[in-house]
Amino acid sequence: MTFGFTPSTAASTSDSSAAAAIPDPAQSPTRLLEPAEWSAAEIPLLRNPREVVSGLHARHRPTPATAVVAVLDQEERVRASASFARRSSVADGWVFRNALLAQLRRVIPHDLRRRTPVRTAVLLYCRDGDGLWTQEDGAWMWGLRDACTLHGLRCGAYITLTREGWQVLGEGRAGRRPSAGSRPEDLAEVETPPPRMGGVASELLRRVSAR
């Protein structure tokens, strides 16, 4: 619909100034963490990274440019997880942080009332290329760390999934399966059920605790 008036010079100037005040995403500074910065952050190590990776792969079956964020409890069991496709063409940690935070808020309540976090968020990102660190990985690391702070979680591992396999960046642990092109394993076989209480299992736990 066309209206029959001509905008004033002042209005045009105001519009131009407003447009100039909006930063261009393509020119905005990239927020990312270098590998040395990530290692210095003392990210908690996964006890069984392959089990975590296989479980998330079986749940979400990610394809390249898909991120999977998961919240683990103190026993390293997945309490909540979500997958989503990367939308932004710019590898900016601030954009990734917002995407991760939106997913976390959707799947699990925050822990901001706790003095210290008890749950840990990990990120699995499926992408093309090899397992070596890229600036895109650095932006995801920045986004994960910031999203965890804003949601009251511990920042956990960042894992890449490529055709070559999986790799926990900053730890040097990796494996060939699962990979970006492999068939997901059966979820029931991947996850280790919690030990039953009572009987022999209970007696073994009691002896270990007594040592």
Side-chain angles (χ1 to χ4, degrees):
M1 181 180 295
T2 303
F3 295 91
F5 66 89
T6 302
S8 64
T9 303
S12 299
T13 304
S14 176
D15 291 343
S16 299
S17 300
I22 300 174
D24 182 359
Q27 298 178 355
S28 62
T30 300
R31 291 94 167 166
L32 58 83
L33 292 177
E34 299 284 347
E37 295 176 298
W38 183 255
S39 298
E42 298 181 350
I43 305 299
L45 300 179
L46 290 170
R47 292 195 299 270
N48 192 336
R50 186 189 182 282
E51 182 177 309
V52 173
V53 174
S54 297
L56 296 179
H57 185 249
R59 273 188 174 90
H60 297 278
R61 305 189 178 196
T63 55
T66 300
V68 180
V69 61
V71 178
L72 311 180
D73 64 13
Q74 293 174 307
E75 301 302 321
E76 218 167 83
R77 292 189 294 264
V78 176
R79 289 306 180 192
S81 63
S83 62
F84 59 98
R86 172 182 168 175
R87 302 294 184 187
S88 174
S89 60
V90 180
D92 192 312
W94 186 81
V95 175
F96 292 167
R97 185 278 306 273
N98 290 343
L100 290 169
L101 193 57
Q103 296 298 324
L104 289 171
R105 287 171 174 168
R106 184 175 63 85
V107 299
I108 198 164
H110 66 76
D111 278 345
L112 293 173
R113 294 184 181 88
R114 297 181 180 272
R115 291 187 177 181
T116 56
V118 296
R119 295 184 291 193
T120 303
V122 300
L123 178 61
L124 171 72
Y125 184 57
C126 182
R127 61 168 173 77
D128 294 321
D130 54 30
L132 298 178
W133 182 89
T134 65
Q135 286 194 343
E136 181 184 25
D137 295 324
W140 279 115
M141 290 172 168
W142 192 99
L144 176 63
R145 186 186 65 176
D146 217 42
C148 288
T149 299
L150 294 174
H151 207 62
L153 302 168
R154 287 197 307 170
C155 179
Y158 173 72
I159 307 158
T160 58
L161 187 71
T162 66
R163 297 286 178 182
E164 297 178 353
W166 58 269
Q167 178 167 320
V168 185
L169 293 193
E171 295 185 19
R173 291 190 288 177
R176 293 184 177 180
R177 295 185 65 85
S179 67
S182 66
R183 182 177 180 180
E185 299 180 39
D186 186 357
L187 188 59
E189 297 178 358
V190 171
E191 295 188 335
T192 303
R196 294 181 179 180
M197 301 308 293
V200 177
S202 180
E203 179 64 18
L204 288 175
L205 289 175
R206 185 189 64 78
R207 291 179 182 177
V208 171
S209 299
R211 290 177 183 175

